[in-house]
Amino acid sequence: MSTKEKKWQLRLYVAGNTPKSMTALHNLRKYCEEHLQGQYVIEVIDLLEHPQLAEGDQILAIPTLVRKIPAPMRKIIGDLSNESKVLVGLDIQPLNH
Amino acid sequence: MAHQINNDVVLQERVLKKVQTGISGLDEITGGGIPAGRPTLVCGGPGSGKTLLSTEFIVRGITEFNEPGVFVTFEEKTEELTTNVASLGFDLQGLQSAGLLKIDHVHVDRDEIQETGEYDLEGLFIRLGHAIDTIGAKRVVLDTVESLFSGLQDRFILRAELKRLFQWLKEKQVTAIVTAEKGVDTLTREGLEEYVSDCVILLDQRVTDKIATRLLRIVKYRGSVHGTNEYPFLIDEEGLAVLPVTSLKLENTVAQERVPSGIPSLDKMLGGNGFFKGSSILVSGTSGTGKTSIAACFANEACSRGESCIYFAFEESPPQIIRNMRSIGIDLEPHVKSGLLHIHASRPTLYGLEMHLVTIHKMVKTRKPSTVIIDPVSNLTTVGTVSEVKSMLTRLMDFFQNEGITVLMTALNTPDRELDQSISSLVDTWLLLKDMETNGERNRGMYIMKSRGMKHSNQVREFVITDKGLELVDVYMGPEGILTGSARVAQQLQEETEKVLRAQAASRKEMVVERRRRVLEAKIAGLREEFESMQEELNRTYTEEDLKSEIQKDNRSRLARNRHS
């Protein structure tokens, strides 16, 4: 399956390998594996390398997780340490209920 | 030791380095602009002009000082901002495509954003840094950074991050303006003044009598002298204009040169030469005493000398003034046509005092007249209190004096004479026009209340307006006081009659005296004749006596001779 066909397209904005960013990425991967297995793709954008991309998605805080697809766009900022908040934020139905 | 010296150098650099904002008036009151390479906080309520001030700072930076700028807007969208300032002639679009300006709209919507766990605002830093580096910006505006507080929940993080942001701006060596909403009791709602400590500017808008006045105050300017007053400012089609209240330095140079008033008899009262050039003249009087006529006469005189003059009329329209003045022999129209005379008429209630002040300022700056007429200043009290008008006029006078402009103001006397009394101390020459009501007619009297630095007449003169112009005539001091108008004419006639009568009486008396003289003379002649004849008689007697005694002597000697022989 190519990227375009995935149901969930997530983008994580980070700025270098800061602990917060690493935590966020780690948390995100964990939740996705758990709830969206096989249906997602995560794109990590390091703004230190691509600062010009910050404006497009209105990135302010780091780390920021953006749900590109499904629409509408959603944003979660922070290290994503609270699982239920992230799931609510992304509007993911938890599987193990 | 070396460290100490280094510190001093740093200190000195900090004290001296300022960046001109390019905003008219603001650089004057800050003594050269805002701190270079540091953030300045501009706070104020909604609609106080924060965005405009910051936009102008950026635009002037580009157009006048060749300093590219980044404008980060947290509230308005780029297009909105562009449209809003287009009316001021700021072409943000053009500047952006020329690569001199970067507008970044930072949009934070609480509904769109979920917060979970730790975060920082590095994204904003990166965006800003990227924008600065791309165009080589020297100026940055963050408008209004406090919007972040409504978009993000974690105040603790926000505060820490904003503090870091201001520090980061300093490190970036950009001159920044950060705007913030005014709080209830604090300068800013979120206490940002704690972080931006170098320069804080407060904008305010006050409404009195339905007329709004915008005010600007430098609350704080570390390491710099600055004006502490509230400075009125306004926003017009050319952007922001701040008016320094007054330099109050009283260091203006004064001219010895005189300018005629256009009324030769008035000049004579003023020591023969008229007013001092660059001085201020107040003509006050009750209605219909001829204030405008004097003003127009002065304007006419200035234009006839080939000098330029602006006539600010707050009561009559230009055609009205021209028509009315023509009726007394003053033709202003040719001067208006030649461009020497500019009549600017506006209703005082059209806008606030400050706007009037700025309008006058601006017109004078652009037209550079030698003479300014304000007719009448008293009308301005409809849009401000006497003390406000006085403060405005103080500033105006100061400005005119600086520019070496002669200004003539008229003021309508109210019964309490509040205004002209209070502004009289500002002016150099004060002419008072008075009604003199006697014998069923009203005449105009004029006298010079004061005229600094010149000998002037203390006499009340009758001020006569004829169809050939204005003239001052000596009033008649009769036994019952001053006589004016037809009483004066009557007195004049009476005196002339008396003169003739007196002359006749005198000649009659002369004749009588002459006759008596002749009679007396005749008498004297008669007496003298009498005396002479008496004298003659006496002489004759003497001669006879002599003769007799001689003959006797002769006879005696003859007799004696006879006896002896």
Side-chain angles (χ1 to χ4, degrees):
Chain A
M1 257 201 288
S2 75
T3 311
K4 275 182 184 165
E5 284 150 19
K6 298 277 188 197
K7 195 177 167 195
W8 295 83
Q9 288 183 22
L10 306 173
R11 203 180 264 182
L12 184 70
Y13 285 91
V14 296
N17 294 326
T18 60
K20 266 177 276 187
S21 301
M22 296 329 286
T23 317
L25 185 58
H26 174 79
N27 285 335
L28 180 62
R29 284 208 170 116
K30 200 177 78 187
Y31 307 148
C32 289
E33 273 309 302
E34 216 168 298
H35 306 284
L36 305 168
Q37 209 178 19
Q39 308 171 57
Y40 73 94
V41 61
I42 298 173
E43 189 188 355
V44 178
I45 294 176
D46 188 348
L47 289 182
L48 291 186
E49 285 167 32
H50 310 284
Q52 72 280 7
L53 297 178
E55 203 181 332
D57 273 337
Q58 280 294 347
I59 302 308
L60 199 64
I62 290 294
T64 297
L65 171 63
V66 178
R67 185 187 81 178
K68 300 291 277 186
I69 287 176
M73 189 171 87
R74 297 243 180 164
K75 273 184 207 161
I76 303 175
I77 59 174
D79 59 13
L80 312 177
S81 51
N82 185 327
E83 184 177 349
S84 55
K85 265 198 178 174
V86 175
L87 296 184
V88 170
L90 291 177
D91 201 14
I92 295 172
Q93 303 297 323
L95 288 174
N96 49 351
H97 260 223
Chain B
M1 193 62 204
H3 181 71
Q4 185 65 45
I5 289 165
N6 202 23
N7 258 358
D8 283 352
V9 170
V10 170
L11 195 72
Q12 200 158 34
E13 267 184 358
R14 210 180 108 182
V15 168
L16 296 175
K17 266 192 144 178
K18 288 182 183 180
V19 163
Q20 277 184 279
T21 57
I23 296 168
S24 133
L26 185 59
D27 295 331
E28 271 110 31
I29 57 174
T30 49
I34 58 173
R38 286 166 179 277
T40 291
L41 183 67
V42 174
C43 41
S48 59
K50 298 186 294 293
T51 304
L52 206 79
L53 186 144
S54 23
T55 316
E56 191 169 346
F57 164 69
I58 290 287
V59 173
R60 301 262 179 240
I62 296 166
T63 56
E64 284 170 31
F65 305 102
N66 201 20
E67 294 189 349
V70 171
F71 195 103
V72 183
T73 163
F74 290 86
E75 283 173 340
E76 290 172 281
K77 283 189 187 144
T78 310
E79 305 79 61
E80 284 171 351
L81 187 74
T82 310
T83 323
N84 291 353
V85 297
S87 57
L88 303 174
F90 297 159
D91 178 18
L92 298 190
Q93 197 110 45
L95 294 174
Q96 236 178 325
S97 18
L100 297 165
L101 170 71
K102 170 90 183 104
I103 305 176
D104 189 356
H105 175 221
V106 176
H107 174 71
V108 249
D109 188 350
R110 197 169 231 171
D111 300 334
E112 244 178 41
I113 297 174
Q114 236 345 291
E115 288 175 42
T116 161
E118 291 264 303
Y119 60 88
D120 55 40
L121 295 184
E122 193 61 33
L124 177 65
F125 286 67
I126 289 171
R127 265 164 92 166
L128 192 50
H130 176 65
I132 293 171
D133 296 341
T134 320
I135 58 167
K138 297 271 187 297
R139 299 180 178 213
V140 168
V141 164
L142 301 175
D143 179 52
T144 307
V145 86
E146 274 174 326
S147 301
L148 290 176
F149 285 89
S150 62
L152 300 172
Q153 285 159 16
D154 197 325
R155 281 166 186 270
F156 182 76
I157 290 181
L158 270 178
R159 281 174 184 282
E161 286 299 285
L162 283 180
K163 198 171 174 180
R164 192 162 70 93
L165 177 66
F166 297 143
Q167 197 55 47
W168 179 82
L169 285 171
K170 278 189 200 175
E171 280 159 23
K172 270 278 180 191
Q173 284 292 304
V174 288
T175 307
I177 286 187
V178 179
T179 68
E181 283 291 315
K182 195 184 176 313
V184 181
D185 290 317
T186 51
L187 284 175
T188 62
R189 213 181 272 161
E190 302 295 339
L192 293 181
E193 62 269 29
E194 284 174 39
Y195 312 136
V196 187
S197 46
D198 292 300
C199 182
V200 179
I201 298 171
L202 178 68
L203 303 181
D204 196 5
Q205 186 166 28
R206 247 172 266 153
V207 181
T208 31
D209 285 338
K210 297 172 200 151
I211 288 157
T213 307
R214 295 177 186 276
L215 297 162
L216 179 147
R217 184 161 68 95
I218 315 281
V219 180
K220 175 169 165 185
Y221 199 148
R222 193 178 277 177
S224 167
V225 201
H226 61 87
T228 49
N229 296 321
E230 279 192 315
Y231 298 95
F233 73 96
L234 59 94
I235 296 167
D236 63 8
E237 60 276 6
E238 281 164 49
L240 216 93
V242 187
L243 289 178
V245 169
T246 164
S247 58
L248 281 184
K249 280 183 184 156
L250 300 174
E251 283 170 355
N252 309 319
T253 49
V254 292
Q256 287 299 319
E257 216 178 305
R258 299 283 197 104
V259 280
S261 63
I263 310 167
S265 35
L266 176 59
D267 293 343
K268 218 177 281 168
M269 282 177 85
L270 293 162
N273 304 309
F275 309 116
F276 277 120
K277 190 177 165 58
S279 69
S280 46
I281 303 121
L282 173 68
V283 180
S284 79
T286 46
S287 68
T289 41
K291 297 182 295 293
T292 302
S293 311
I294 291 181
C297 199
F298 188 49
N300 182 48
E301 178 68 23
C303 294
S304 305
R305 281 198 307 271
E307 293 175 6
S308 140
C309 171
I310 305 182
Y311 193 121
F312 293 98
F314 288 126
E315 230 165 33
E316 294 169 283
S317 67
Q320 244 177 321
I321 294 174
I322 291 170
R323 181 200 66 194
N324 296 350
M325 289 308 117
R326 194 177 286 142
S327 75
I328 59 164
I330 301 168
D331 195 359
L332 298 174
E333 202 163 7
H335 301 314
V336 172
K337 282 205 175 119
S338 71
L340 281 176
L341 179 65
H342 181 78
I343 304 180
H344 179 86
S346 63
R347 287 263 164 228
T349 46
L350 196 61
Y351 21 68
L353 270 187
E354 305 311 330
M355 189 72 182
H356 283 298
L357 183 54
V358 176
T359 313
I360 294 174
H361 243 266
K362 279 199 151 170
M363 290 193 69
V364 168
K365 280 269 183 200
T366 44
R367 301 189 82 96
K368 302 201 183 310
S370 75
T371 307
V372 166
I373 311 280
I374 306 174
D375 179 36
V377 283
S378 45
N379 260 22
L380 292 172
T381 50
T382 50
V383 284
T385 63
V386 168
S387 77
E388 279 167 348
V389 173
K390 188 184 175 184
S391 126
M392 170 202 165
L393 289 175
T394 311
R395 271 138 55 200
L396 254 190
M397 293 301 114
D398 202 48
F399 168 64
F400 287 140
Q401 208 170 7
N402 261 324
E403 306 277 315
I405 294 166
T406 318
V407 55
L408 187 145
M409 302 176 287
T410 67
L412 178 71
N413 274 352
T414 44
D416 52 7
R417 307 237 331 246
E418 210 185 340
L419 183 74
D420 60 336
Q421 290 285 12
S422 76
I423 60 176
S424 65
S425 62
L426 299 176
V427 299
D428 299 309
T429 302
W430 183 12
L431 306 180
L432 194 71
L433 296 172
K434 257 183 108 165
D435 262 346
M436 294 195 278
E437 213 172 303
T438 40
N439 306 331
E441 63 177 22
R442 206 174 62 88
N443 294 296
R444 303 175 179 92
M446 179 208 259
Y447 55 98
I448 302 168
M449 286 287 273
K450 71 165 188 185
S451 195
R452 286 177 185 152
M454 60 174 82
K455 253 204 315 210
H456 56 269
S457 164
N458 63 348
Q459 297 296 300
V460 178
R461 293 287 149 88
E462 189 182 347
F463 177 50
V464 190
I465 302 180
T466 65
D467 52 7
K468 287 188 188 67
L470 309 175
E471 216 189 317
L472 294 169
V473 281
D474 290 349
V475 290
Y476 268 77
M477 293 294 293
E480 285 140 39
I482 294 167
L483 296 177
T484 54
S486 34
R488 168 177 51 81
V489 176
Q491 177 76 13
Q492 250 170 323
L493 283 177
Q494 196 183 331
E495 279 184 18
E496 264 164 43
T497 323
E498 270 171 17
K499 212 163 137 193
V500 175
L501 287 178
R502 255 202 314 272
Q504 255 177 356
S507 65
R508 207 168 41 236
K509 225 171 195 173
E510 230 166 66
M511 267 152 64
V512 172
V513 170
E514 179 63 25
R515 214 175 301 136
R516 284 197 64 172
R517 189 178 61 85
R518 259 185 263 146
V519 171
L520 279 174
E521 266 173 14
K523 265 189 186 169
I524 292 168
L527 282 172
R528 188 170 286 148
E529 244 165 79
E530 203 177 321
F531 174 73
E532 271 169 15
S533 59
M534 276 166 70
Q535 184 101 37
E536 220 167 285
E537 205 156 313
L538 190 66
N539 285 350
R540 213 166 34 233
T541 322
Y542 283 145
T543 323
E544 269 175 27
E545 285 296 318
D546 280 354
L547 213 63
K548 254 184 205 167
S549 70
E550 220 163 286
I551 293 167
Q552 270 175 355
K553 218 168 130 188
D554 202 32
N555 286 351
R556 249 196 315 265
S557 62
R558 216 180 292 167
L559 278 173
R561 232 177 350 219
N562 283 341
R563 244 178 250 144
H564 287 283
S565 43

